[in-house]
PDB file of all heavy atoms in Angstrom:
ATOM      1  N   GLU K 150      91.588  70.108 147.493  1.00 75.00           N
ATOM      2  CA  GLU K 150      90.756  69.354 146.565  1.00 75.00           C
ATOM      3  C   GLU K 150      89.470  70.119 146.248  1.00 75.00           C
ATOM      4  O   GLU K 150      88.975  70.108 145.112  1.00 75.00           O
ATOM      5  CB  GLU K 150      90.406  67.984 147.180  1.00 75.00           C
ATOM      6  CG  GLU K 150      91.585  67.024 147.298  1.00 75.00           C
ATOM      7  CD  GLU K 150      92.138  66.673 145.948  1.00 75.00           C
ATOM      8  OE1 GLU K 150      91.347  66.537 144.967  1.00 75.00           O
ATOM      9  OE2 GLU K 150      93.385  66.528 145.847  1.00 75.00           O
ATOM     10  N   LYS K 151      88.923  70.795 147.235  1.00 80.00           N
ATOM     11  CA  LYS K 151      87.703  71.557 147.060  1.00 80.00           C
ATOM     12  C   LYS K 151      87.982  72.731 146.050  1.00 80.00           C
ATOM     13  O   LYS K 151      87.127  72.977 145.174  1.00 80.00           O
ATOM     14  CB  LYS K 151      87.256  72.168 148.386  1.00 80.00           C
ATOM     15  CG  LYS K 151      85.977  72.940 148.350  1.00 80.00           C
ATOM     16  CD  LYS K 151      85.627  73.406 149.743  1.00 80.00           C
ATOM     17  CE  LYS K 151      84.302  74.206 149.751  1.00 80.00           C
ATOM     18  NZ  LYS K 151      83.930  74.676 151.116  1.00 80.00           N
ATOM     19  N   ILE K 152      89.121  73.368 146.181  1.00 83.00           N
ATOM     20  CA  ILE K 152      89.452  74.481 145.262  1.00 83.00           C
ATOM     21  C   ILE K 152      89.655  73.960 143.835  1.00 83.00           C
ATOM     22  O   ILE K 152      89.180  74.544 142.868  1.00 83.00           O
ATOM     23  CB  ILE K 152      90.724  75.184 145.752  1.00 83.00           C
ATOM     24  CG1 ILE K 152      90.437  75.976 147.031  1.00 83.00           C
ATOM     25  CG2 ILE K 152      91.290  76.136 144.679  1.00 83.00           C
ATOM     26  CD1 ILE K 152      91.655  76.612 147.677  1.00 83.00           C
ATOM     27  N   LEU K 153      90.375  72.859 143.721  1.00 83.00           N
ATOM     28  CA  LEU K 153      90.577  72.260 142.380  1.00 83.00           C
ATOM     29  C   LEU K 153      89.271  71.863 141.710  1.00 83.00           C
ATOM     30  O   LEU K 153      89.102  72.045 140.522  1.00 83.00           O
ATOM     31  CB  LEU K 153      91.562  71.062 142.490  1.00 83.00           C
ATOM     32  CG  LEU K 153      93.021  71.371 142.769  1.00 83.00           C
ATOM     33  CD1 LEU K 153      93.799  70.114 143.089  1.00 83.00           C
ATOM     34  CD2 LEU K 153      93.642  72.088 141.574  1.00 83.00           C
ATOM     35  N   ALA K 154      88.391  71.298 142.506  1.00 76.00           N
ATOM     36  CA  ALA K 154      87.101  70.887 141.981  1.00 76.00           C
ATOM     37  C   ALA K 154      86.297  72.108 141.501  1.00 76.00           C
ATOM     38  O   ALA K 154      85.679  72.075 140.413  1.00 76.00           O
ATOM     39  CB  ALA K 154      86.291  70.123 143.016  1.00 76.00           C
ATOM     40  N   ALA K 155      86.345  73.162 142.282  1.00 79.00           N
ATOM     41  CA  ALA K 155      85.586  74.372 141.903  1.00 79.00           C
ATOM     42  C   ALA K 155      86.181  74.999 140.621  1.00 79.00           C
ATOM     43  O   ALA K 155      85.468  75.454 139.737  1.00 79.00           O
ATOM     44  CB  ALA K 155      85.638  75.375 143.049  1.00 79.00           C
ATOM     45  N   LEU K 156      87.522  75.023 140.539  1.00 82.00           N
ATOM     46  CA  LEU K 156      88.180  75.573 139.331  1.00 82.00           C
ATOM     47  C   LEU K 156      87.823  74.742 138.096  1.00 82.00           C
ATOM     48  O   LEU K 156      87.580  75.305 137.023  1.00 82.00           O
ATOM     49  CB  LEU K 156      89.707  75.584 139.540  1.00 82.00           C
ATOM     50  CG  LEU K 156      90.224  76.661 140.479  1.00 82.00           C
ATOM     51  CD1 LEU K 156      91.710  76.395 140.782  1.00 82.00           C
ATOM     52  CD2 LEU K 156      90.101  78.026 139.834  1.00 82.00           C
ATOM     53  N   THR K 157      87.770  73.448 138.252  1.00 77.00           N
ATOM     54  CA  THR K 157      87.434  72.560 137.147  1.00 77.00           C
ATOM     55  C   THR K 157      85.999  72.833 136.672  1.00 77.00           C
ATOM     56  O   THR K 157      85.715  72.964 135.453  1.00 77.00           O
ATOM     57  CB  THR K 157      87.590  71.120 137.521  1.00 77.00           C
ATOM     58  OG1 THR K 157      88.940  70.859 137.947  1.00 77.00           O
ATOM     59  CG2 THR K 157      87.278  70.182 136.345  1.00 77.00           C
ATOM     60  N   ARG K 158      85.079  72.954 137.617  1.00 77.00           N
ATOM     61  CA  ARG K 158      83.682  73.182 137.291  1.00 77.00           C
ATOM     62  C   ARG K 158      83.462  74.542 136.649  1.00 77.00           C
ATOM     63  O   ARG K 158      82.564  74.757 135.835  1.00 77.00           O
ATOM     64  CB  ARG K 158      82.820  73.067 138.540  1.00 77.00           C
ATOM     65  CG  ARG K 158      82.713  71.633 139.054  1.00 77.00           C
ATOM     66  CD  ARG K 158      81.817  71.539 140.262  1.00 77.00           C
ATOM     67  NE  ARG K 158      80.448  71.972 139.953  1.00 77.00           N
ATOM     68  CZ  ARG K 158      79.470  72.054 140.844  1.00 77.00           C
ATOM     69  NH1 ARG K 158      79.714  71.722 142.104  1.00 77.00           N
ATOM     70  NH2 ARG K 158      78.267  72.404 140.477  1.00 77.00           N
ATOM     71  N   CYS K 159      84.301  75.522 137.028  1.00 77.00           N
ATOM     72  CA  CYS K 159      84.166  76.897 136.480  1.00 77.00           C
ATOM     73  C   CYS K 159      85.135  77.173 135.339  1.00 77.00           C
ATOM     74  O   CYS K 159      85.372  78.336 135.020  1.00 77.00           O
ATOM     75  CB  CYS K 159      84.418  77.926 137.586  1.00 77.00           C
ATOM     76  SG  CYS K 159      83.208  77.798 138.968  1.00 77.00           S
ATOM     77  N   ASN K 160      85.666  76.135 134.756  1.00 78.00           N
ATOM     78  CA  ASN K 160      86.567  76.279 133.629  1.00 78.00           C
ATOM     79  C   ASN K 160      87.773  77.129 133.962  1.00 78.00           C
ATOM     80  O   ASN K 160      88.205  77.976 133.177  1.00 78.00           O
ATOM     81  CB  ASN K 160      85.840  76.822 132.399  1.00 78.00           C
ATOM     82  CG  ASN K 160      86.613  76.612 131.086  1.00 78.00           C
ATOM     83  OD1 ASN K 160      87.460  75.681 131.016  1.00 78.00           O
ATOM     84  ND2 ASN K 160      86.379  77.478 130.127  1.00 78.00           N
ATOM     85  N   TRP K 161      88.244  77.018 135.226  1.00 81.00           N
ATOM     86  CA  TRP K 161      89.397  77.726 135.762  1.00 81.00           C
ATOM     87  C   TRP K 161      89.225  79.258 135.807  1.00 81.00           C
ATOM     88  O   TRP K 161      90.172  80.025 135.744  1.00 81.00           O
ATOM     89  CB  TRP K 161      90.678  77.365 134.992  1.00 81.00           C
ATOM     90  CG  TRP K 161      91.101  75.943 135.328  1.00 81.00           C
ATOM     91  CD1 TRP K 161      90.618  74.797 134.834  1.00 81.00           C
ATOM     92  CD2 TRP K 161      92.039  75.601 136.336  1.00 81.00           C
ATOM     93  NE1 TRP K 161      91.191  73.711 135.429  1.00 81.00           N
ATOM     94  CE2 TRP K 161      92.095  74.171 136.392  1.00 81.00           C
ATOM     95  CE3 TRP K 161      92.888  76.300 137.185  1.00 81.00           C
ATOM     96  CZ2 TRP K 161      92.906  73.471 137.236  1.00 81.00           C
ATOM     97  CZ3 TRP K 161      93.713  75.623 138.058  1.00 81.00           C
ATOM     98  CH2 TRP K 161      93.713  74.207 138.080  1.00 81.00           C
ATOM     99  N   ASN K 162      87.989  79.674 135.934  1.00 83.00           N
ATOM    100  CA  ASN K 162      87.702  81.082 136.201  1.00 83.00           C
ATOM    101  C   ASN K 162      87.776  81.279 137.721  1.00 83.00           C
ATOM    102  O   ASN K 162      86.914  80.826 138.477  1.00 83.00           O
ATOM    103  CB  ASN K 162      86.288  81.465 135.667  1.00 83.00           C
ATOM    104  CG  ASN K 162      86.027  82.940 135.821  1.00 83.00           C
ATOM    105  OD1 ASN K 162      86.113  83.506 136.898  1.00 83.00           O
ATOM    106  ND2 ASN K 162      85.603  83.554 134.735  1.00 83.00           N
ATOM    107  N   ARG K 163      88.819  81.983 138.137  1.00 83.00           N
ATOM    108  CA  ARG K 163      89.084  82.147 139.594  1.00 83.00           C
ATOM    109  C   ARG K 163      87.971  82.904 140.339  1.00 83.00           C
ATOM    110  O   ARG K 163      87.676  82.560 141.487  1.00 83.00           O
ATOM    111  CB  ARG K 163      90.429  82.820 139.804  1.00 83.00           C
ATOM    112  CG  ARG K 163      91.605  81.977 139.315  1.00 83.00           C
ATOM    113  CD  ARG K 163      92.917  82.698 139.519  1.00 83.00           C
ATOM    114  NE  ARG K 163      92.974  83.952 138.757  1.00 83.00           N
ATOM    115  CZ  ARG K 163      93.981  84.812 138.877  1.00 83.00           C
ATOM    116  NH1 ARG K 163      94.972  84.602 139.669  1.00 83.00           N
ATOM    117  NH2 ARG K 163      93.972  85.914 138.147  1.00 83.00           N
ATOM    118  N   VAL K 164      87.447  83.925 139.689  1.00 83.00           N
ATOM    119  CA  VAL K 164      86.386  84.713 140.360  1.00 83.00           C
ATOM    120  C   VAL K 164      85.160  83.865 140.628  1.00 83.00           C
ATOM    121  O   VAL K 164      84.614  83.838 141.747  1.00 83.00           O
ATOM    122  CB  VAL K 164      86.003  85.925 139.506  1.00 83.00           C
ATOM    123  CG1 VAL K 164      84.828  86.686 140.120  1.00 83.00           C
ATOM    124  CG2 VAL K 164      87.207  86.875 139.392  1.00 83.00           C
ATOM    125  N   GLN K 165      84.726  83.101 139.603  1.00 81.00           N
ATOM    126  CA  GLN K 165      83.563  82.231 139.769  1.00 81.00           C
ATOM    127  C   GLN K 165      83.821  81.105 140.740  1.00 81.00           C
ATOM    128  O   GLN K 165      82.964  80.765 141.550  1.00 81.00           O
ATOM    129  CB  GLN K 165      83.144  81.651 138.391  1.00 81.00           C
ATOM    130  CG  GLN K 165      82.623  82.679 137.403  1.00 81.00           C
ATOM    131  CD  GLN K 165      82.186  82.062 136.110  1.00 81.00           C
ATOM    132  OE1 GLN K 165      82.164  80.848 135.959  1.00 81.00           O
ATOM    133  NE2 GLN K 165      81.844  82.915 135.161  1.00 81.00           N
ATOM    134  N   ALA K 166      85.017  80.556 140.725  1.00 81.00           N
ATOM    135  CA  ALA K 166      85.376  79.501 141.643  1.00 81.00           C
ATOM    136  C   ALA K 166      85.348  79.987 143.083  1.00 81.00           C
ATOM    137  O   ALA K 166      84.867  79.271 144.012  1.00 81.00           O
ATOM    138  CB  ALA K 166      86.731  78.901 141.303  1.00 81.00           C
ATOM    139  N   ALA K 167      85.861  81.166 143.314  1.00 79.00           N
ATOM    140  CA  ALA K 167      85.874  81.727 144.649  1.00 79.00           C
ATOM    141  C   ALA K 167      84.434  81.953 145.168  1.00 79.00           C
ATOM    142  O   ALA K 167      84.133  81.633 146.313  1.00 79.00           O
ATOM    143  CB  ALA K 167      86.633  83.061 144.686  1.00 79.00           C
ATOM    144  N   LYS K 168      83.562  82.442 144.258  1.00 77.00           N
ATOM    145  CA  LYS K 168      82.159  82.616 144.664  1.00 77.00           C
ATOM    146  C   LYS K 168      81.483  81.284 144.929  1.00 77.00           C
ATOM    147  O   LYS K 168      80.652  81.178 145.855  1.00 77.00           O
ATOM    148  CB  LYS K 168      81.404  83.366 143.537  1.00 77.00           C
ATOM    149  CG  LYS K 168      81.797  84.831 143.376  1.00 77.00           C
ATOM    150  CD  LYS K 168      81.048  85.484 142.223  1.00 77.00           C
ATOM    151  CE  LYS K 168      81.403  86.944 142.101  1.00 77.00           C
ATOM    152  NZ  LYS K 168      80.686  87.591 140.991  1.00 77.00           N
ATOM    153  N   MET K 169      81.816  80.306 144.173  1.00 77.00           N
ATOM    154  CA  MET K 169      81.173  78.972 144.331  1.00 77.00           C
ATOM    155  C   MET K 169      81.407  78.390 145.716  1.00 77.00           C
ATOM    156  O   MET K 169      80.518  77.829 146.320  1.00 77.00           O
ATOM    157  CB  MET K 169      81.674  77.999 143.233  1.00 77.00           C
ATOM    158  CG  MET K 169      81.154  76.570 143.373  1.00 77.00           C
ATOM    159  SD  MET K 169      81.747  75.501 142.070  1.00 77.00           S
ATOM    160  CE  MET K 169      80.829  76.149 140.684  1.00 77.00           C
ATOM    161  N   ILE K 170      82.663  78.526 146.214  1.00 75.00           N
ATOM    162  CA  ILE K 170      82.973  77.943 147.506  1.00 75.00           C
ATOM    163  C   ILE K 170      82.849  78.953 148.654  1.00 75.00           C
ATOM    164  O   ILE K 170      83.148  78.649 149.807  1.00 75.00           O
ATOM    165  CB  ILE K 170      84.368  77.324 147.526  1.00 75.00           C
ATOM    166  CG1 ILE K 170      85.481  78.352 147.284  1.00 75.00           C
ATOM    167  CG2 ILE K 170      84.491  76.194 146.500  1.00 75.00           C
ATOM    168  CD1 ILE K 170      86.884  77.804 147.353  1.00 75.00           C
ATOM    169  N   GLY K 171      82.417  80.172 148.303  1.00 71.00           N
ATOM    170  CA  GLY K 171      82.156  81.176 149.353  1.00 71.00           C
ATOM    171  C   GLY K 171      83.410  81.722 150.048  1.00 71.00           C
ATOM    172  O   GLY K 171      83.371  82.036 151.215  1.00 71.00           O
ATOM    173  N   VAL K 172      84.514  81.880 149.255  1.00 71.00           N
ATOM    174  CA  VAL K 172      85.749  82.413 149.827  1.00 71.00           C
ATOM    175  C   VAL K 172      86.032  83.782 149.177  1.00 71.00           C
ATOM    176  O   VAL K 172      85.947  83.892 147.966  1.00 71.00           O
ATOM    177  CB  VAL K 172      86.940  81.447 149.556  1.00 71.00           C
ATOM    178  CG1 VAL K 172      88.243  82.034 150.034  1.00 71.00           C
ATOM    179  CG2 VAL K 172      86.673  80.119 150.262  1.00 71.00           C
ATOM    180  N   PRO K 173      86.385  84.777 149.965  1.00 73.00           N
ATOM    181  CA  PRO K 173      86.772  86.088 149.398  1.00 73.00           C
ATOM    182  C   PRO K 173      87.868  85.905 148.377  1.00 73.00           C
ATOM    183  O   PRO K 173      88.768  85.091 148.542  1.00 73.00           O
ATOM    184  CB  PRO K 173      87.244  86.934 150.588  1.00 73.00           C
ATOM    185  CG  PRO K 173      86.552  86.297 151.767  1.00 73.00           C
ATOM    186  CD  PRO K 173      86.451  84.819 151.470  1.00 73.00           C
ATOM    187  N   ARG K 174      87.856  86.723 147.309  1.00 75.00           N
ATOM    188  CA  ARG K 174      88.821  86.571 146.238  1.00 75.00           C
ATOM    189  C   ARG K 174      90.273  86.640 146.734  1.00 75.00           C
ATOM    190  O   ARG K 174      91.122  85.900 146.314  1.00 75.00           O
ATOM    191  CB  ARG K 174      88.560  87.621 145.169  1.00 75.00           C
ATOM    192  CG  ARG K 174      87.496  87.192 144.164  1.00 75.00           C
ATOM    193  CD  ARG K 174      87.214  88.290 143.208  1.00 75.00           C
ATOM    194  NE  ARG K 174      86.631  89.461 143.885  1.00 75.00           N
ATOM    195  CZ  ARG K 174      86.484  90.674 143.337  1.00 75.00           C
ATOM    196  NH1 ARG K 174      86.913  90.869 142.132  1.00 75.00           N
ATOM    197  NH2 ARG K 174      85.894  91.636 143.980  1.00 75.00           N
ATOM    198  N   ARG K 175      90.551  87.635 147.607  1.00 74.00           N
ATOM    199  CA  ARG K 175      91.892  87.793 148.064  1.00 74.00           C
ATOM    200  C   ARG K 175      92.376  86.547 148.823  1.00 74.00           C
ATOM    201  O   ARG K 175      93.478  86.061 148.615  1.00 74.00           O
ATOM    202  CB  ARG K 175      91.989  89.011 148.976  1.00 74.00           C
ATOM    203  CG  ARG K 175      93.340  89.251 149.587  1.00 74.00           C
ATOM    204  CD  ARG K 175      94.375  89.530 148.547  1.00 74.00           C
ATOM    205  NE  ARG K 175      94.028  90.686 147.719  1.00 74.00           N
ATOM    206  CZ  ARG K 175      94.661  91.067 146.610  1.00 74.00           C
ATOM    207  NH1 ARG K 175      95.673  90.363 146.194  1.00 74.00           N
ATOM    208  NH2 ARG K 175      94.280  92.132 145.935  1.00 74.00           N
ATOM    209  N   THR K 176      91.524  85.995 149.640  1.00 77.00           N
ATOM    210  CA  THR K 176      91.845  84.741 150.374  1.00 77.00           C
ATOM    211  C   THR K 176      92.024  83.609 149.383  1.00 77.00           C
ATOM    212  O   THR K 176      92.945  82.782 149.510  1.00 77.00           O
ATOM    213  CB  THR K 176      90.755  84.414 151.400  1.00 77.00           C
ATOM    214  OG1 THR K 176      90.613  85.515 152.317  1.00 77.00           O
ATOM    215  CG2 THR K 176      91.086  83.175 152.176  1.00 77.00           C
ATOM    216  N   PHE K 177      91.157  83.566 148.396  1.00 80.00           N
ATOM    217  CA  PHE K 177      91.200  82.500 147.368  1.00 80.00           C
ATOM    218  C   PHE K 177      92.543  82.542 146.649  1.00 80.00           C
ATOM    219  O   PHE K 177      93.173  81.507 146.448  1.00 80.00           O
ATOM    220  CB  PHE K 177      90.048  82.673 146.382  1.00 80.00           C
ATOM    221  CG  PHE K 177      89.895  81.545 145.427  1.00 80.00           C
ATOM    222  CD1 PHE K 177      89.289  80.349 145.818  1.00 80.00           C
ATOM    223  CD2 PHE K 177      90.340  81.639 144.128  1.00 80.00           C
ATOM    224  CE1 PHE K 177      89.138  79.308 144.901  1.00 80.00           C
ATOM    225  CE2 PHE K 177      90.235  80.610 143.220  1.00 80.00           C
ATOM    226  CZ  PHE K 177      89.601  79.446 143.636  1.00 80.00           C
ATOM    227  N   TYR K 178      93.003  83.742 146.255  1.00 81.00           N
ATOM    228  CA  TYR K 178      94.279  83.880 145.544  1.00 81.00           C
ATOM    229  C   TYR K 178      95.434  83.446 146.442  1.00 81.00           C
ATOM    230  O   TYR K 178      96.430  82.850 145.964  1.00 81.00           O
ATOM    231  CB  TYR K 178      94.459  85.336 145.093  1.00 81.00           C
ATOM    232  CG  TYR K 178      93.441  85.815 144.073  1.00 81.00           C
ATOM    233  CD1 TYR K 178      93.096  87.142 143.961  1.00 81.00           C
ATOM    234  CD2 TYR K 178      92.841  84.913 143.190  1.00 81.00           C
ATOM    235  CE1 TYR K 178      92.166  87.581 143.030  1.00 81.00           C
ATOM    236  CE2 TYR K 178      91.918  85.321 142.277  1.00 81.00           C
ATOM    237  CZ  TYR K 178      91.576  86.664 142.205  1.00 81.00           C
ATOM    238  OH  TYR K 178      90.652  87.122 141.304  1.00 81.00           O
ATOM    239  N   ARG K 179      95.337  83.771 147.719  1.00 79.00           N
ATOM    240  CA  ARG K 179      96.383  83.373 148.660  1.00 79.00           C
ATOM    241  C   ARG K 179      96.475  81.843 148.748  1.00 79.00           C
ATOM    242  O   ARG K 179      97.547  81.252 148.834  1.00 79.00           O
ATOM    243  CB  ARG K 179      96.192  83.973 150.033  1.00 79.00           C
ATOM    244  CG  ARG K 179      96.645  85.434 150.120  1.00 79.00           C
ATOM    245  CD  ARG K 179      96.837  85.829 151.596  1.00 79.00           C
ATOM    246  NE  ARG K 179      95.639  85.792 152.345  1.00 79.00           N
ATOM    247  CZ  ARG K 179      94.823  86.852 152.538  1.00 79.00           C
ATOM    248  NH1 ARG K 179      95.138  88.010 151.983  1.00 79.00           N
ATOM    249  NH2 ARG K 179      93.732  86.757 153.260  1.00 79.00           N
ATOM    250  N   ARG K 180      95.280  81.178 148.800  1.00 81.00           N
ATOM    251  CA  ARG K 180      95.260  79.749 148.857  1.00 81.00           C
ATOM    252  C   ARG K 180      95.862  79.124 147.603  1.00 81.00           C
ATOM    253  O   ARG K 180      96.595  78.104 147.665  1.00 81.00           O
ATOM    254  CB  ARG K 180      93.805  79.272 149.044  1.00 81.00           C
ATOM    255  CG  ARG K 180      93.196  79.623 150.366  1.00 81.00           C
ATOM    256  CD  ARG K 180      93.853  78.879 151.481  1.00 81.00           C
ATOM    257  NE  ARG K 180      93.182  79.177 152.759  1.00 81.00           N
ATOM    258  CZ  ARG K 180      93.553  80.190 153.575  1.00 81.00           C
ATOM    259  NH1 ARG K 180      94.547  80.967 153.270  1.00 81.00           N
ATOM    260  NH2 ARG K 180      92.885  80.385 154.697  1.00 81.00           N
ATOM    261  N   LEU K 181      95.602  79.720 146.428  1.00 84.00           N
ATOM    262  CA  LEU K 181      96.187  79.210 145.197  1.00 84.00           C
ATOM    263  C   LEU K 181      97.704  79.237 145.282  1.00 84.00           C
ATOM    264  O   LEU K 181      98.381  78.305 144.847  1.00 84.00           O
ATOM    265  CB  LEU K 181      95.695  80.053 143.999  1.00 84.00           C
ATOM    266  CG  LEU K 181      94.223  79.992 143.646  1.00 84.00           C
ATOM    267  CD1 LEU K 181      93.954  80.883 142.396  1.00 84.00           C
ATOM    268  CD2 LEU K 181      93.760  78.581 143.332  1.00 84.00           C
ATOM    269  N   LYS K 182      98.238  80.321 145.846  1.00 81.00           N
ATOM    270  CA  LYS K 182      99.670  80.453 145.960  1.00 81.00           C
ATOM    271  C   LYS K 182     100.254  79.447 146.976  1.00 81.00           C
ATOM    272  O   LYS K 182     101.251  78.837 146.767  1.00 81.00           O
ATOM    273  CB  LYS K 182     100.027  81.884 146.394  1.00 81.00           C
ATOM    274  CG  LYS K 182     101.507  82.166 146.455  1.00 81.00           C
ATOM    275  CD  LYS K 182     101.744  83.635 146.755  1.00 81.00           C
ATOM    276  CE  LYS K 182     103.257  83.901 146.766  1.00 81.00           C
ATOM    277  NZ  LYS K 182     103.530  85.343 147.075  1.00 81.00           N
ATOM    278  N   GLU K 183      99.542  79.322 148.132  1.00 79.00           N
ATOM    279  CA  GLU K 183      99.991  78.388 149.147  1.00 79.00           C
ATOM    280  C   GLU K 183     100.041  76.958 148.661  1.00 79.00           C
ATOM    281  O   GLU K 183     100.978  76.201 148.988  1.00 79.00           O
ATOM    282  CB  GLU K 183      99.059  78.486 150.366  1.00 79.00           C
ATOM    283  CG  GLU K 183      99.211  79.807 151.170  1.00 79.00           C
ATOM    284  CD  GLU K 183      98.155  79.896 152.263  1.00 79.00           C
ATOM    285  OE1 GLU K 183      97.501  78.847 152.535  1.00 79.00           O
ATOM    286  OE2 GLU K 183      97.979  80.976 152.844  1.00 79.00           O
ATOM    287  N   TYR K 184      99.012  76.549 147.903  1.00 79.00           N
ATOM    288  CA  TYR K 184      98.893  75.190 147.430  1.00 79.00           C
ATOM    289  C   TYR K 184      99.612  74.925 146.100  1.00 79.00           C
ATOM    290  O   TYR K 184      99.585  73.816 145.585  1.00 79.00           O
ATOM    291  CB  TYR K 184      97.457  74.779 147.335  1.00 79.00           C
ATOM    292  CG  TYR K 184      96.696  74.837 148.668  1.00 79.00           C
ATOM    293  CD1 TYR K 184      95.367  75.195 148.743  1.00 79.00           C
ATOM    294  CD2 TYR K 184      97.335  74.514 149.847  1.00 79.00           C
ATOM    295  CE1 TYR K 184      94.689  75.271 149.935  1.00 79.00           C
ATOM    296  CE2 TYR K 184      96.662  74.607 151.061  1.00 79.00           C
ATOM    297  CZ  TYR K 184      95.357  74.954 151.105  1.00 79.00           C
ATOM    298  OH  TYR K 184      94.660  75.010 152.292  1.00 79.00           O
TER     299      TYR K 184
END
């Protein structure tokens, strides 16, 4: 839910969303795949 909220607020820009929640981009991309 936290990732989805960040993506929505950042207009689905993954780099900005990852920065917003403080997660490294590589980890963020893995979470997108897992979920």
Side-chain angles (χ1 to χ4, degrees):
E150 291 299 324
K151 183 178 180 180
I152 290 174
L153 287 170
L156 286 168
T157 301
R158 291 183 60 183
C159 297
N160 197 25
W161 287 82
N162 185 306
R163 294 180 297 174
V164 174
Q165 292 182 7
K168 290 180 179 179
M169 175 179 289
I170 63 177
V172 175
R174 276 175 294 169
R175 178 62 59 189
T176 302
F177 188 79
Y178 296 151
R179 281 200 295 268
R180 293 293 184 269
L181 293 181
K182 185 175 180 180
E183 288 174 12
Y184 298 146

